[in-house]
Amino acid sequence: MVISRRDAMLSVVAGLIVPWQTFAFEKQGQQDNDIFLSCRILTNGSYTLACMNAGGHVFWENALPGRGHGFAIRQGTDQFVVFARRPGQYAMVVDVRTGKTIKRLSSITGRHFYGHGVFDRQVKRLYTSENDFERGRGVIGIYDADSDYRRLGELDSGGIGPHEVVMLHHRDELVVANGGVRTHPDFGRTPLNIDSMRPNVAWLDPSSGVVNNRLELPESRRRLSLRHLAVSDVDRVCVAGQIVSANSAGEDDMLEPLVAFSDGDSQELGIAPDAAQKLMRRYLASVAWLSDPGLFVVTAPHAGVVTLWSQTGQFQGSIEVARDSAGVCSDVSGKTAWISADTGKLLSIDFPSRVKSSHQFALVDGYFDNHITCVPRA
Amino acid sequence: MKIIRQLFVTILCCLSPGVGAAQPDSGKYQAINITFVDQFAVPAYEAFDDAATHLARSAEAFCENMNDNTREGLVDSYYEAMDAWQWVQMISIGPISFELRRFRIQLWPDRRGNVSRHLDLLLSEKNTGALSGAEFQTGSVAVQGLSALEILIFDESGGLATTTPVATENDDSGFRCQVINAIAQNVASIAKAVRTEWTESDDAFRGYIETASLGNAFFDSADGLSARILHDLRVQLQTIVEYKIERPLSDTAESTRLRRAESWRSQRTIHNIRINLKAIHSAYDVSFRPFLSEELALRVDEKFNQADELLAPIGEFSTAALIDPVERERINAVIEVVDELVQLFIQQIPAALDLNPGLTSLDGD
């Protein structure tokens, strides 16, 4: 009998878990309000999901069946969903208090997950970005959270390659970053339509599937894949992109990493000034909204900076962080940004002081993956 | 072909990590990058081009006159081409990333059986027009390369023990041979294009390696490119463990899934892995090793040597080792050693070179 590396890793991880009962999610101090989730890559190549708090406690860290990516938090409950990284086929509904899997979802035949999802405002339905890969069509899967996450159907995402999907705060409308890149699992993550890609941001009515608004990039920026989104308190959207490719002649002079903004009613995306864009070096990984300073925080891992933006798109400066810092989320208070680096460290930045603090956790050796999210207490 | 190239070009500028506030020693990274290309990649693609050209000639000769000699020549040249491909299989940068060339040369892993399915369709339709150069190159990726050629040359039922060519003088042999020939010519054509575009074309890709910095369309920094090259080596190590060994190996000999193994029909699974490891070692040796401490360099060498010593007795051409109880023990030991190499490539080597492993942003999402 061969013990697989994954089995071995489960034991290792289990041995290092701090029993959640020790802390029991009871408030031990103000900073313990903030509970974070992040997928991790362990140095032995295994993939896990870790739950920590800002006080440095690790509640649990559990093995995942494959590399994980983003999260959907079911507000008001102990549940959240972690999604496989594209082109993954699993999503796990997990109890945040125990780390136990409540339900494992598998993508249906002909679909795979893109790594993100969101609950509706009534926390009854889960919407997931998925790929109808034979037809090259982006879809939003619909799952009934009250009926064991039964798949109810799907909506057209309004484009190709839907990635992050978010729900507005003040009306039932989904916002989808359609990255524009067609992929097929037979070819891994290889882009198949670079010269014809048309990324967009789409506002969808989840009850009807109607695309209420769809904003594309200008012609010169069509190779910028729009991937990640955040929504402000008043439903303004910040979208972050990344260059997928130059063409074979190297003609990408017009392309720089993109941050764009919209209130959803406008006819075009408000694109931030090029001078600020160049700072970010072609690749943006995550966006978060911090309600107290009223800023969008965008991570630029290649440049080793986070950039700050007002909700109308005014550049508010940048802060140096470790290279490959990809994940960002707001704490519960909306005053502190938490940033994860694939080097395995967590950084917090308080506002308005912009003071940085580094945080250590008793985690198995490894690295944080693309995203980190903050879980409000139920 | 240019249109296809533009359609399918994949590029790595977006995947390379840039510099932070402190400017790294770009001279060191430029040296790493250019030696990797000049002393490993370009010679390796030249060898692949030579082997693929030989394969094309052998296929032609076989189809003109099917006999034991030409059949043997075809099998030998197939081995030669696959060996040369295994040597460069890990490289994701440069002209190989254009026009889906990697997949057109070898579609593996093929979880959904696309190669067999599309090949069956091609053989059943017997449409010679589909085999012409342009038609073939823009048709199904699945039938264009070495994966399909292996099915045509090697007998499925003999997968564990024999390597009998099946394109013999039966009713279908004429068309089968035309397919063999079309694939061989196509692989040769791709290999030639890759070789040319690295160093000989007007816009040779080597130039982008030399000038990696802001403004370069492909690589925005020299250290980012070094990280990308190191990433390719590390990913190949992980591919060896996760896809080439663990995926077919399973927990017990009885549950081993041999047909998940790479090159199971031609019995080259272990042989391929040995080539892969030697290639990674060779690429690392010319590019990264000179910038490491002697202690770290020796640790890395020791692991590569251990892996090769473990693999050598398993049998050069045996896929069946995966179901042999004794050999499985040895293969599990190989997994451990390669895992240790992965650690070195994720932790110690990047740290020593001041490179981020780029686990998230090198294959961005």
Side-chain angles (χ1 to χ4, degrees), chain A residues 105-272:
Chain A
L105 309 176
S106 297
S107 55
I108 63 171
T109 303
R111 305 283 184 275
H112 68 70
F113 292 116
Y114 266 115
H116 288 275
V118 68
F119 283 92
D120 67 359
R121 296 193 300 153
Q122 294 73 37
V123 295
K124 291 180 178 299
R125 290 192 175 182
L126 171 69
Y127 298 99
T128 64
S129 53
E130 300 180 10
N131 187 11
D132 174 359
F133 49 81
E134 295 298 358
R135 286 187 283 182
R137 186 175 68 105
V139 301
I140 302 298
I142 310 169
Y143 299 80
D144 186 342
D146 285 340
S147 298
D148 201 30
Y149 288 88
R150 182 170 56 96
R151 196 176 199 273
L152 299 174
E154 63 190 25
L155 310 170
D156 193 303
S157 77
I160 293 173
H163 197 73
E164 189 157 18
V165 51
V166 297
M167 178 68 72
L168 296 183
H169 299 303
H170 299 288
R171 61 180 187 266
D172 290 326
E173 195 166 46
L174 294 165
V175 189
V176 186
N178 286 301
V181 179
R182 183 173 184 177
T183 57
H184 190 291
D186 288 347
F187 305 107
R189 295 159 62 84
T190 303
L192 303 175
N193 65 333
I194 284 171
D195 275 16
S196 60
M197 59 185 279
R198 299 188 74 88
N200 70 55
V201 182
W203 282 256
L204 309 180
D205 179 343
S207 61
S208 65
V210 169
V211 178
N212 292 331
N213 197 4
R214 176 164 42 204
L215 301 180
E216 292 188 348
L217 292 168
E219 185 69 21
S220 64
R221 293 176 185 263
R222 276 192 6 219
R223 291 195 193 95
L224 291 161
S225 182
L226 301 174
R227 299 282 177 87
H228 294 103
L229 296 161
V231 183
S232 77
D233 298 336
V234 295
D235 285 346
R236 289 192 66 90
V237 171
C238 173
V239 58
Q242 54 191 251
I243 294 179
V244 171
S245 77
N247 66 21
S248 53
E251 295 164 350
D252 74 340
D253 293 346
M254 294 297 290
L255 304 174
E256 292 297 341
L258 179 79
V259 184
F261 304 85
S262 175
D263 59 8
D265 296 324
S266 55
Q267 296 305 303
E268 59 184 30
L269 287 167
I271 296 170

